[in-house]
């Protein structure tokens, strides 16, 4: 009877699961997505990965079965507004709406903005006119009924920070993007890097964040919160814990997968262990001897049969313990009765011995129960480990088959393309064939030395090589090509001169690498000119004119020595008289002649020329 009960319960549970799946409204959900990737910025450095990331994410949404996927690249301001306006029209009758943006972003006064390719942003006030606020994006997905998701791979450094002029000194321009708290329910905003930090483009074709998104978001039945958790782990691992993605917003208690779970496989592909495991779990819920005996009657051998036997042993130990406990209780009651009736001593001792033996049996049964329970728990843990290993092996097998199928499809596509290429060449118009015949030989016919000289000459023309084109691909030439890759946004192998590198160099109309001048000179176009400072200024260590500081007199030992020598000579010299040194004598006496006066004979009559007078002018 228990066997039939298990089978009936299994059929009912299966029917309910099938009805729930087939009648679930999730199968009728309408999902739409808008993917934008901006790389070709006109007024700042070009980004390499956003266009590639947009192609990867757009392909992911298409393979996930979205009803509408719009992939837009390199949009200016008006084109971005038009794309959001058109997407809002598709969202009106959609259950799930997703917007993915890769490119430059900026945070100003706590508000995040997405930067179109034609933005100049000469001042901080230009952000309000030339960039799109995140609120404009949220308005586009607002009509979605069940889920609104915005993914921003735009947490890079602000490319306009060095050139942007501040119109208001107190206006804050942050690093990365600012934290966002959605006001609408069932809305999530995922950042490539959490607020206040920046994201990396990585070293491959796609950024670490986009690669992780493509790996985890399309997994059928995987809740978005858990999927973004796996994305966070992958990005932290690939960036050495330098970049941590973050999700803002909240969802309800139900799982919200981006891709609905696939129905359980039926027919020949069904897992033969699924029915056995379902019956085992049902018997485990019942937890009775009849249930386990019915299970063993249906499945007498195998891993689950051994687990069922362990559960039966556990139940048996419990029954033994209960019987021993009941027997001990009866013995105690008998002992009390005999004592109450003042039975004979022998009878009392016999009853006491019986009670002691019953207590010992009860203790033994209790220990046996504990042992059997521990064995049953260990067996249950082994079952869960075995089921997890089987599920992992099945997932790895499916993943390997998927990779094998994709590789086979790619090889078939390449073969088809190769087969179609000659046919396309045969269909070339006769005029085009003549033009191809008259065109000069391709660059690939150049010798290695000529190719090297040509690449070196082009590197000199765009300002990346200062030496002569000698035809020897030296370390200097390799560094020059690496500089070109850095400033032109290319990824050519710097260890050799290639035809692709030559074509890319020829495509540049002017200088690519910045002009570097020696100290005391500055760049003026393609030349270095000497820096001339006005009077009283000189060229400082930062190659800018600075004022020459005034020199203060400093006393030296030589100056003090000269001063002491002059003082000694003045002290040793005889004092100079202020008078003329002559004496004049009169009847009143003799005195020195005053300064500026002289002695002459008295010319007056009667003096006989013997008298002297002092003449002063």
């Amino acid at each position: 009877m228990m066997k039939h009960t298990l089978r009936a319960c299994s059929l009912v549970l299966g029917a309910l699961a099938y009805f729930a799946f087939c009648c679930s409204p999730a199968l009728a959900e309408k999902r739409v997505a808008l993917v934008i990737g901006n790389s070709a910025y006109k007024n700042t450095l070009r980004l390499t990965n956003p266009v590639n990331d947009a192609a990867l994410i757009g392909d992911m949404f298409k393979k996930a079965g979205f009803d509408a996927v719009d992939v837009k690249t390199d949009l200016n301001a008006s084109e971005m507004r038009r794309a959001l306006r058109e997407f809002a029209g598709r969202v009106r009758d959609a259950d799930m709406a997703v917007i993915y943006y890769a490119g430059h972003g900026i945070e100003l006064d706590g508000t995040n903005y997405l930067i179109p390719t034609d933005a100049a942003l000469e001042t901080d006030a230009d952000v309000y006119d030339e960039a799109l606020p995140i609120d404009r994006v949220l308005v586009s997905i607002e009509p979605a009924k069940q889920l609104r998701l915005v993914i921003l791979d735009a947490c890079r450094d602000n490319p306009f920070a060095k050139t942007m002029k501040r119109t208001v000194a107190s206006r804050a321009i942050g690093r990365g993007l600012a934290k966002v708290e959605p006001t609408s329910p069932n809305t999530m905003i995922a950042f490539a890097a959490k607020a206040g930090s920046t994201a990396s483009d990585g070293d491959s074709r796609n950024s670490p964040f986009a690669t992780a998104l493509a790996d985890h978001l399309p997994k059928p039945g995987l809740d978005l919160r858990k999927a973004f958790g796996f994305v966070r782990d992958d990005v932290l691992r690939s960036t050495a814990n330098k970049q941590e993605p973050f999700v803002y917003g909240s969802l309800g208690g139900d799982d919200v997968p981006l891709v609905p779970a696939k129905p359980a496989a039926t027919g020949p592909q069904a897992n033969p262990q699924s029915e056995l495991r379902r019956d085992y779990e049902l018997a485990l819920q019942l937890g009775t001897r009849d249930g386990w005996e019915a299970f063993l009657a249906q499945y007498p051998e195998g891993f689950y049969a051994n687990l069922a036997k362990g559960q039966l042993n556990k139940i048996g130990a419990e029954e033994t313990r209960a019987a021993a406990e009941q027997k001990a209780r009866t013995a105690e009651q008998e002992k009390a009765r005999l004592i109450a009736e003042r039975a004979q001593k022998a009878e009392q001792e016999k009853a006491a011995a019986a009670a002691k033996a019953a207590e010992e049996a009860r203790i033994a049964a209790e220990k046996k129960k504990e042992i059997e329970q521990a064995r049953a728990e260990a067996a249950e843990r082994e079952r869960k480990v075995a089921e997890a290993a089987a599920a992992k092996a099945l997932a790895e097998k499916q993943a390997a088959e998927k990779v094998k199928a994709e590789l086979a499809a790619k090889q078939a596509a390449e073969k088809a393309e190769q087969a179609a290429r000659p046919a396309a060449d045969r269909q070339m118009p006769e005029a085009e064939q003549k033009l191809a015949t008259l065109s000069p030989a391709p660059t690939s016919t150049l010798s290695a030395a000529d190719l090297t000289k040509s690449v070196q000459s082009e590197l000199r023309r765009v300002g990346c090589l200062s030496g002569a084109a000698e035809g020897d691909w030296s370390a200097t030439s390799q560094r020059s090509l690496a500089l070109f890759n850095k400033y032109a946004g290319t990824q050519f192998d710097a260890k050799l001169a290639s035809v692709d590198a030559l074509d890319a160099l020829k495509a540049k109309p002017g200088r690519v690498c910045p002009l570097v001048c020696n100290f005391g000179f500055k760049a003026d176009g393609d030349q270095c000119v000497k820096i001339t400072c006005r009077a009283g200024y000189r060229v400082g260590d930062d190659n800018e004119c600075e004022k020459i500081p005034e020199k203060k007199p400093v006393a030296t030992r030589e100056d003090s020595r000269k001063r002491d020598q002059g003082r000694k000579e003045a002290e040793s010299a005889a004092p100079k008289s202020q008078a003329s040194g002559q004496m004049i004598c009169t009847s009143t006496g003799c005195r020195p002649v005053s300064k500026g006066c002289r002695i002459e004979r008295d010319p007056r009559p009667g003096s006989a020329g013997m008298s002297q007078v002092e003449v002063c002018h």
Side-chain angles (χ1 to χ4, degrees):
M1 178 179 180
M2 187 63 193
K3 174 181 175 182
H4 294 297
T5 302
L6 285 172
R7 176 64 61 191
C9 292
S10 300
L11 293 174
V12 171
L13 290 174
L16 289 175
Y18 176 80
F19 179 80
F21 176 77
C22 293
C23 301
S24 174
L27 293 179
E29 291 179 353
K30 181 178 180 180
R31 298 171 295 165
V32 295
L34 172 63
V35 180
I36 299 176
N38 285 347
S39 287
Y41 283 92
K42 300 177 181 179
N43 301 299
T44 187
L45 293 179
R46 175 188 176 93
L47 295 175
T48 304
N49 283 348
V51 171
N52 300 334
D53 294 340
L56 176 65
I57 300 301
D59 186 61
M60 178 198 74
F61 286 133
K62 292 176 182 177
K63 291 181 178 179
F66 270 60
D67 298 278
V69 180
D70 295 335
V71 180
K72 308 286 186 179
T73 57
D74 295 332
L75 302 183
N76 57 32
S78 61
E79 291 171 342
M80 286 186 68
R81 293 188 178 91
R82 185 185 307 114
L84 291 173
R85 185 167 58 251
E86 294 174 353
F87 183 68
R90 296 187 180 92
V91 175
R92 290 191 184 95
D93 58 345
D95 298 284
M96 182 182 299
V98 184
I99 293 181
Y100 171 85
Y101 172 80
H104 277 310
I106 186 175
E107 180 263 320
L108 185 67
D109 279 343
T111 302
N112 299 319
Y113 294 86
L114 309 184
I115 303 179
T117 57
D118 60 344
L121 303 186
E122 297 180 356
T123 67
D124 52 2
D126 293 341
V127 175
Y128 300 119
D129 299 326
E130 301 179 16
L132 274 73
I134 189 65
D135 291 341
R136 178 64 183 87
V137 179
L138 294 175
V139 168
S140 300
I141 62 173
E142 184 67 24
K145 300 180 182 66
Q146 297 182 8
L147 174 67
R148 294 168 283 275
L149 174 61
V150 177
I151 305 175
L152 297 180
D153 194 357
C155 308
R156 298 169 173 83
D157 285 329
N158 178 8
F160 300 93
K162 297 181 179 179
T163 58
M164 182 185 295
K165 297 179 181 179
R166 299 286 187 93
T167 59
V168 178
S170 61
R171 182 168 290 151
I173 300 177
R175 181 172 181 263
L177 297 181
K179 178 180 179 181
V180 177
E181 293 295 346
T183 57
S184 300
N186 297 329
T187 302
M188 295 181 67
I189 302 178
F191 284 6
K194 65 180 180 180
S197 61
T198 57
S200 170
D201 276 339
D203 300 326
S204 60
R205 175 180 175 83
N206 297 105
S207 68
F209 183 60
T211 303
L213 289 175
D215 289 341
H216 297 291
L217 287 189
K219 291 181 180 179
L222 182 61
D223 183 59
L224 274 179
R225 288 158 289 199
K226 184 171 289 187
F228 278 112
F230 292 146
V231 170
R232 168 191 173 274
D233 295 342
D234 286 0
V235 174
L236 283 173
R237 191 182 306 111
S238 61
T239 61
N241 294 329
K242 295 180 180 178
Q243 176 181 340
E244 180 183 4
F246 219 82
V247 178
Y248 299 93
S250 64
L251 301 178
D254 296 334
D255 286 350
V256 183
L258 194 67
V259 179
K262 294 182 179 179
T266 59
Q269 298 180 350
N271 186 356
Q273 295 292 323
S274 61
E275 183 177 356
L276 174 60
R277 182 173 60 188
R278 185 170 59 250
D279 291 345
Y280 175 86
E281 292 176 350
L282 182 58
L284 186 63
Q285 292 177 1
L286 294 175
T288 62
R289 177 181 290 277
D290 292 339
W292 289 118
E293 289 177 350
F295 179 86
L296 287 174
Q298 179 68 19
Y299 308 104
E301 300 292 336
F303 175 71
Y304 285 91
N306 295 332
L307 295 178
K309 292 175 182 178
Q311 295 290 341
L312 271 178
N313 293 336
K314 176 182 174 182
I315 294 174
E318 173 62 22
E319 292 173 349
T320 303
R321 184 200 66 78
E325 184 177 3
Q326 180 63 31
K327 187 175 181 181
R329 188 181 302 109
T330 303
E332 286 290 338
Q333 292 174 356
E334 182 66 17
K335 176 183 176 181
R337 186 183 66 80
L338 291 175
I339 292 175
E341 295 177 355
R342 296 182 178 181
Q344 297 179 358
K345 184 177 180 181
E347 292 295 332
Q348 292 179 358
E349 292 177 352
K350 182 178 179 181
K356 182 178 180 181
E359 180 65 17
E360 291 176 351
R362 184 189 68 79
I363 294 174
E366 186 73 25
K367 292 182 178 179
K368 184 177 180 181
K369 175 196 172 184
E370 293 176 354
I371 294 173
E372 293 299 334
Q373 184 174 0
R375 289 178 179 174
E377 291 175 354
E380 186 65 18
R381 287 195 296 270
E382 292 178 359
R383 176 184 74 86
K384 292 181 179 179
V385 171
E387 290 177 356
K392 181 179 180 182
L394 180 61
E396 291 177 350
K397 180 179 178 182
Q398 293 175 349
E401 291 177 353
K402 179 181 179 182
V403 171
K404 184 177 179 181
E406 291 178 352
L407 180 60
K410 182 178 180 181
Q411 291 177 351
E414 291 178 351
K415 289 182 180 180
E417 183 180 358
Q418 292 177 358
R421 190 176 300 156
D425 293 341
R426 287 193 298 269
Q427 296 174 2
M428 181 187 298
E430 182 179 357
E432 293 184 3
Q433 294 180 359
K434 291 181 180 180
L435 182 60
T437 306
L438 296 175
S439 63
T443 312
S444 59
T445 59
L446 293 175
S447 64
D450 293 340
L451 178 60
T452 300
K453 284 185 178 181
S454 299
V455 174
Q456 289 174 338
S457 298
E458 291 299 323
L459 286 172
R460 281 178 54 84
R461 182 181 63 81
V462 297
C464 297
L465 177 63
S466 58
E470 300 175 348
D472 180 17
W473 194 252
S474 60
T476 302
S477 300
Q478 295 178 15
R479 287 193 297 271
S480 300
L481 185 53
L483 281 175
F484 177 78
N485 285 335
K486 175 181 179 181
Y487 291 103
T490 57
Q491 297 180 351
F492 297 114
D493 187 0
K495 296 181 179 180
L496 52 88
S498 62
V499 176
D500 293 337
L502 180 59
D503 294 339
L505 285 164
K506 288 183 176 180
K508 299 298 180 181
R511 172 179 290 276
V512 174
C513 296
L515 180 62
V516 179
C517 299
N518 294 330
F519 178 76
F521 291 82
K522 64 179 181 180
D524 186 6
D526 291 337
Q527 295 181 350
C528 290
V529 297
K530 186 175 182 180
I531 299 175
T532 303
C533 300
R534 66 178 184 269
Y537 286 78
R538 65 181 180 187
V539 180
D541 295 337
D542 56 354
N543 225 29
E544 298 289 340
C545 291
E546 63 180 14
K547 190 174 182 179
I548 301 175
E550 296 180 358
K551 293 184 178 179
K552 296 182 179 179
V554 180
T556 62
R557 182 174 296 179
E558 186 66 25
D559 294 338
S560 62
R561 187 176 301 166
K562 291 180 178 179
R563 186 171 60 252
D564 294 343
Q565 183 67 23
R567 185 174 63 252
K568 289 179 181 180
E569 292 177 356
E571 291 175 352
S572 60
K576 295 182 179 179
S577 175
Q578 296 299 323
S580 63
Q582 296 177 327
M583 300 293 291
I584 184 170
C585 295
T586 62
S587 58
T588 60
C590 295
R591 60 178 179 81
V593 177
S594 300
K595 184 178 180 181
C597 300
R598 64 182 183 277
I599 300 174
E600 293 184 357
R601 293 182 183 276
D602 190 358
R604 291 176 296 179
S607 65
M610 297 302 292
S611 300
Q612 295 180 339
V613 294
E614 182 180 14
V615 179
C616 297
H617 298 286

